[in-house]
Amino acid sequence: MQSNVPTAEAEVSTKFLMRFIVLSIIAAVLTVSIKFAAAWITGSVGFLSDAMESIVNLLAAMVALWALIVSGKPADHNHDFGHGKAEYMSSLVEGALIFVAAAGIIVTAIQRLANPQPLEEVGIGLVLSVVATLINLVVGAILVRAGRKHRSITLEADGHHLLTDVWTTVGVIVGIGLLFVFPDQLWIDPVVALVVGVNILWTGGKLLRRSSVGLLDAALPAEEVTAIRAAIDGVIGDDRVTVTDLRTRESGRQRFVQTTVVVPGHWTVARSHDLADDIEAAVGATFPECQTVVHIEPGRSDHPEPPPAAPVPEDHSI
């Protein structure tokens, strides 16, 4: 039976993750060029709205690159816990950019709905959009997979954004295809653009919510907490030692664990310290980028102190 408890992770460098963002930037440049060409050739506001979303993809990818560079910096005198939350800032910026793009799309669509215009060279526009969709589909899937594997909300958010763009383009293609079959129904093009705008607003809202939760120091997922408890229990191996408090939080790809461990009161400082080191090493072996702090508390001793000696009677002899 397959377990849901995560296995040990391999530590990855920021430079390695940056390769995925560079791939996203290249894909965004290509799709922006292709979609604007489709919009210019056909005069379709649906294609134009799709191209505007791809501009947001490009800007978001550039912000994501900045976030990865900043989040990879080590702790310094002003940031004792590192710079991991820069990834959440990237996701917030991307969500805000999505809202801006959606507003522009909706306004343009309403204007075109009030003043419909016939389209030209629809077939060429459809071919160009299909090519752009395939690019976003492949790159988006790669980014989401890498983001989940390496716990990077920046990669995952950027990948989901590209996949959302795929569904957006599919909707535009279907709408323009209908217009190609029914050329007199000019209302189809702006209505498709309106649907695209609403869909983008929904995506932006989800990104903003997730980023806000991360900035509020949310606890690690339940399955990861279970893995941490298992790592600690595997080290303790003594019924007299108990874990009374386990707190977790995440900051981008970084994890933070704080726990209180009660040991027998007669243990020496050295023995207690060795146990704390073993716990930190065990958690670090499961999650390499985790910073663990163990607080040792003395419990009841197995060897109670002997009762005080009876007082020696005074000698009153002369």
Side-chain angles (χ1 to χ4, degrees), residues 169-194:
T169 307
V170 168
V172 171
I173 290 174
V174 171
I176 301 302
L178 290 174
L179 192 57
F180 185 74
V181 177
F182 305 103
D184 295 332
Q185 306 299 318
L186 299 180
W187 57 268
I188 294 178
D189 184 38
V191 167
V192 167
L194 282 173

Side-chain angles (χ1 to χ4, degrees), residues 115-166:
N115 299 289
Q117 297 179 15
L119 306 186
E120 300 177 2
E121 303 293 344
V122 175
I124 297 177
L126 289 174
V127 171
L128 292 175
S129 288
V130 169
V131 172
T133 300
L134 292 176
I135 294 174
N136 281 336
L137 178 62
V138 173
V139 176
I142 292 174
L143 289 178
V144 170
R145 181 179 179 183
R148 290 175 177 172
K149 181 178 180 180
H150 303 299
R151 294 192 71 256
S152 172
I153 188 176
T154 299
L155 291 185
E156 192 174 344
D158 202 38
H160 278 301
H161 195 173
L162 289 179
L163 292 179
T164 300
D165 196 15
V166 169

Side-chain angles (χ1 to χ4, degrees), residues 30-115:
L30 288 175
T31 54
V32 165
S33 303
I34 293 172
K35 290 180 179 181
F36 267 111
W40 180 72
I41 291 172
T42 62
S44 166
V45 70
F47 283 145
L48 179 62
S49 66
D50 202 15
M52 290 175 64
E53 185 181 5
S54 292
I55 289 181
V56 176
N57 290 345
L58 177 57
L59 294 175
M62 296 173 68
V63 173
L65 182 61
W66 165 84
L68 279 181
I69 293 174
V70 174
S71 66
K73 292 181 178 180
D76 53 33
H77 67 284
N78 286 329
H79 305 86
D80 293 334
F81 295 98
H83 302 75
K85 289 194 176 181
E87 293 206 41
Y88 295 113
M89 295 301 297
S90 167
S91 187
L92 280 174
V93 170
E94 185 166 351
L97 288 174
I98 288 176
F99 273 92
V100 172
I105 291 170
I106 291 173
V107 170
T108 304
I110 292 175
Q111 292 175 347
R112 182 59 64 87
L113 192 60
N115 299 289

